[in-house]
Amino acid sequence: HPQPASKFKKEETLRADPQAAEELYREGLLNYSQGHLKKALESFEKASRLDPQNEKIQKAFAKTKKVLGQQH
């Protein structure tokens, strides 16, 4: 039967990781600048979960959500 350790690994991936968040943020900026707003939104969303205290990530996520919302 499955080892309980796998549960802990899953929880670890949800911990704050500012370095990974920064990489996702940059990826989001690149996608945004190329007009790939949905990809950018995904990157910013993941980044915001990894580093919820990062204001620039939160702003980029909110801005992208707003721009996408206006397109519908």
Side-chain angles (χ1 to χ4, degrees):
H1 57 180
Q3 296 290 321
S6 63
K7 182 185 171 208
F8 294 117
K9 280 184 185 174
K10 200 172 195 177
E11 287 172 12
E12 279 176 30
T13 61
L14 299 175
R15 280 203 200 127
D17 187 345
Q19 190 174 351
E22 182 67 26
E23 289 172 23
L24 283 162
Y25 172 72
R26 291 178 190 196
E27 183 182 293
L29 289 179
L30 182 64
N31 281 317
Y32 190 96
S33 70
Q34 294 174 345
H36 304 298
L37 299 184
K38 285 185 179 172
K39 282 185 182 178
L41 187 69
E42 288 173 18
S43 296
F44 293 144
E45 184 178 11
K46 288 176 191 170
S48 73
R49 277 186 273 163
L50 290 172
D51 192 0
Q53 305 303 315
N54 190 317
E55 208 172 300
K56 71 180 180 184
I57 292 172
Q58 299 303 327
K59 284 181 179 177
F61 183 35
K63 179 183 176 183
T64 307
K65 268 199 295 194
K66 187 176 178 182
V67 171
L68 270 171
Q70 291 169 353
Q71 288 186 345
H72 295 287

